[in-house]
């Protein structure tokens, strides 16, 4: 078996991961879809196993994920070598990172603002991929991102990890919705009749809050899905249901009275970590390392220790 690595085939893997289709990958690489398909078939023949699941959007087999991780690390190392050889930046470098929606809506954009503006000027890019904080590390494992903000407290094999801080979540509701509660306040039985806002089917924050508030892990909630962090808070302000959102995100609405805390003494602390693939020492000071440093610096200012 030929165990050499063809950079053109690896570049096709990255393009397929980023774009989700052979046609879009071909457009990015300035090739025909047939040429991309031929390169992938050659790569699969070389390793004697399928690498890509040809669905819509396409996916990768476990073996394909192994090569995809290598391909992204290879590109990152090549970009850093280009810089060290005298270029200010590798034009066209793209670094995908995974972030949870609530961090993206609150503190990640300000943290990356300077880097993003620099990238506009010199030609590199940071691609943000959104998933629940409990699942972003799966994208890191699969090779679709090079770094991620995650609630996972243990680094994956081959990755480094830095603690970012704690993002507390608070249950909030509109004053009109709270007026429907008994004078004594919210009880566990009220959650059977009042709607509770949930981001999506991966979101376990409302259940975590209900368990912490009432010690009942199997409470049945009247869930209403609102799959956008900004729209989630807006839905809570409009009285669509009880929301469990980051204190950082609802601070303004609490201050002006559009929202009120449901149980002020009960919060759900979510500790966030930055994970990234460990390349060599030089690459770690490259764009991926700068992204991690920027996130850590800003997180120290806005998240709880």
């Amino acid at each position: 078996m030929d165990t050499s690595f063809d950079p053109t085939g690896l570049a096709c893997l990255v393009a397929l991961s980023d774009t989700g289709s052979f046609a879009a990958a071909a457009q990015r690489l300035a090739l025909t879809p047939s040429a991309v398909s031929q390169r992938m078939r050659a790569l699969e023949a070389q390793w004697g196993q399928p690498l890509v699941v040809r669905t819509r959007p396409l996916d990768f087999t476990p073996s394909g994920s192994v090569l995809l991780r290598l391909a992204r690390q290879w590109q990152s190392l090549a970009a850093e070598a280009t810089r060290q050889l005298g270029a200010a930046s590798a034009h066209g470098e793209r670094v995908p990172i995974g972030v949870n929606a609530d961090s993206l809506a609150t503190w990640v954009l300000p943290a990356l603002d300077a880097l993003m503006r620099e990238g506009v000027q010199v030609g590199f890019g940071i691609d943000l991929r959104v998933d629940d904080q409990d699942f972003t590390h799966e994208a890191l494992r699969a090779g679709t991102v090079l770094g991620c903000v995650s609630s996972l407290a243990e680094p994956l094999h081959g990755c480094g990890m830095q603690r970012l801080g704690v993002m507390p979540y608070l249950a909030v509701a509109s004053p009109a919705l709270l007026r429907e509660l008994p004078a004594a306040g919210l009880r566990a039985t009220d959650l059977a009749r009042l709607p509770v806002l949930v981001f999506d089917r991966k979101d376990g924050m409302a259940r975590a809050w209900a368990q912490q508030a009432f010690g009942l892990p199997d409470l049945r909630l009247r869930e209403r899905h609102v799959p956008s962090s900004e729209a989630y808070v807006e839905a809570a302000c409009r009285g669509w249901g009880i929301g469990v959102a980051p204190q950082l995100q609802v601070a303004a609405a609490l201050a002006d009275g559009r929202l009120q805390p449901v149980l002020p003494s009960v919060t759900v602390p979510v500790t966030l970590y930055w994970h990234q693939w460990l390349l060599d020492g030089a690459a770690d000071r490259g764009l991926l390392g700068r992204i991690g440093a920027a996130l850590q610096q800003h997180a120290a200012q806005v998240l709880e220790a």
Side-chain angles (χ1 to χ4, degrees):
M1 176 187 294
D2 178 11
T3 57
S4 62
F5 295 101
D6 177 14
T8 60
L10 296 180
C12 283
L13 278 174
V14 171
L16 287 169
S17 173
D18 287 347
T19 64
S21 75
F22 279 82
Q27 186 175 18
R28 170 178 289 191
L29 296 170
L31 298 171
T32 65
S34 175
V36 174
S37 184
Q38 289 173 11
R39 290 186 183 184
M40 288 310 305
R41 283 198 296 269
L43 201 58
E44 290 175 326
Q46 175 187 355
W47 294 99
Q49 51 194 306
L51 303 175
V52 176
V53 182
R54 288 163 171 79
T55 53
R56 292 187 180 181
L58 61 80
D59 201 358
F60 293 87
T61 66
S63 298
S65 292
V66 171
L67 285 181
L68 177 60
R69 289 197 299 268
L70 170 66
R72 290 204 184 277
Q73 293 172 18
W74 189 312
Q75 287 191 348
S76 184
L77 287 167
E80 179 59 26
T82 301
R83 278 188 288 268
Q84 290 191 29
L85 289 171
S89 176
H91 185 81
E93 181 183 2
R94 305 168 72 94
V95 176
I97 65 171
V99 298
N100 59 309
D102 290 339
S103 290
L104 185 61
T106 52
W107 65 272
V108 164
L109 291 186
L112 297 179
D113 188 51
L115 274 177
M116 288 288 198
R117 292 175 184 272
E118 179 185 341
V120 170
Q121 298 298 319
V122 300
F124 64 75
I126 303 171
D127 292 343
L128 302 174
R129 314 285 176 87
V130 177
D131 205 343
D132 186 271
Q133 64 266 10
D134 294 337
F135 294 89
T136 50
H137 66 282
E138 292 300 332
L140 190 68
R141 191 194 309 274
T144 56
V145 300
L146 285 172
C148 71
V149 176
S150 170
S151 58
L152 183 71
E154 296 294 331
L156 300 176
H157 179 68
C159 295
M161 182 196 75
Q162 295 291 331
R163 188 178 184 275
L164 293 171
V166 177
M167 180 179 281
Y169 282 68
L170 179 70
V172 293
S174 68
L177 187 63
L178 288 179
R179 283 195 290 270
E180 298 185 21
L181 297 179
L186 182 73
R187 302 164 302 183
T189 53
D190 295 317
L191 292 180
R193 63 181 183 85
L194 290 175
V196 176
L197 302 177
V198 175
F199 187 87
D200 60 18
R201 287 170 177 79
K202 291 181 178 179
D203 180 14
M205 193 58 60
R207 292 192 176 278
W209 170 79
Q211 181 175 356
Q212 187 158 327
F214 300 105
L216 300 174
D218 298 322
L219 274 175
R220 294 187 62 183
L221 303 177
R222 289 183 57 199
E223 296 183 355
R224 289 181 176 173
H225 290 189
V226 184
S228 159
S229 290
E230 294 84 355
Y232 185 99
V233 174
E234 177 66 19
C237 291
R238 291 178 178 273
W240 286 20
I242 295 172
V244 183
Q247 287 184 340
L248 188 62
Q249 190 174 9
V250 298
L254 289 170
D256 64 23
R258 286 177 295 147
L259 290 174
Q260 295 178 2
V262 177
L263 295 173
S265 63
V266 179
T267 60
V268 180
V270 175
T271 305
L272 297 175
Y273 303 86
W274 168 248
H275 297 255
Q276 71 175 66
W277 283 101
L278 293 176
L279 308 176
D280 70 7
D284 212 30
R285 295 191 296 272
L287 182 53
L288 181 59
R290 293 177 66 196
I291 292 170
L295 291 172
Q296 291 169 51
Q297 181 178 3
H298 192 72
Q301 299 173 20
V302 297
L303 302 183
E304 295 185 0

